[in-house]
Amino acid sequence: MAQWTLADLSKKMAKLDFAMLGTRSADGGITARPMSNNGDVDYDGDSYFFAYGHSRKVAEIRAEPQVSLGYTGPVGMLGGPPLFIAIEGRATLIDDRAQFEAHWTRDLDRYFPEGIDTPDVVMIRVHAQRIRYWDGGEEGAVAA
């Protein structure tokens, strides 16, 4: 198979429900937690997640914006072997209602009951700096 493009990766990522967001904790360790992946948004090297501004992950991003994202799909989900995607990137925090609207999906209402007007909601944007993938015997990197 030829080297994947960002468009190839976007199609595969749209079928993945969750990502693990890794941040640097206050004690210097690495901590990760699941974040909902918005498959309705075409992946262009930026990932968007919603969080509460007072959360530990947001505090960790403020202190150290270098983060990682890990995605995986089960065997057969994409018509073949399991898929693994690892992204290293830089996170920024967005507090802009217009941007919230552009990335909001109804599934988020269960976490944020007042939608984009939920108090203390922020959006995390992760801009990819390195992207690696493994898909059975295939592996490589995608230019971000």
Side-chain angles (χ1 to χ4, degrees):
M1 180 176 166
Q3 185 74 18
W4 288 6
T5 65
L6 207 50
D8 296 329
L9 187 68
S10 179
K11 287 178 193 169
K12 292 181 183 282
M13 286 176 67
K15 297 175 182 161
L16 304 177
D17 290 333
F18 293 95
M20 291 296 288
L21 170 66
T23 57
R24 178 76 58 192
S25 64
D27 67 3
I30 297 173
T31 186
R33 77 283 291 154
M35 302 294 288
S36 180
N37 180 43
N38 184 352
D40 295 332
V41 175
D42 287 334
Y43 184 72
D44 62 1
D46 290 334
S47 299
Y48 297 90
F49 307 99
F50 287 87
Y52 284 99
H54 67 274
S55 66
R56 185 176 56 177
K57 67 183 147 281
V58 169
E60 290 170 352
I61 288 169
R62 283 189 175 112
E64 173 53 63
Q66 205 64 31
V67 300
S68 66
L69 294 172
Y71 294 86
T72 187
V75 175
M77 183 183 127
L78 303 174
L83 169 67
F84 300 93
I85 300 168
I87 298 172
E88 296 173 52
R90 187 163 192 84
T92 54
L93 300 171
I94 298 170
D95 186 16
D96 177 350
R97 297 291 186 247
Q99 288 291 317
F100 292 178
E101 285 183 26
H103 295 92
W104 194 264
T105 63
R106 290 182 196 255
D107 292 341
L108 293 168
D109 291 339
R110 71 179 178 172
Y111 304 108
F112 306 97
E114 295 176 47
I116 64 169
D117 295 318
T118 300
D120 196 36
V121 68
V122 297
M123 190 166 59
I124 301 167
R125 173 185 168 251
V126 177
H127 178 70
Q129 295 168 316
R130 290 183 193 88
I131 304 171
R132 302 252 327 140
Y133 65 85
W134 298 266
D135 188 13
E138 303 285 335
E139 70 176 87
V142 176

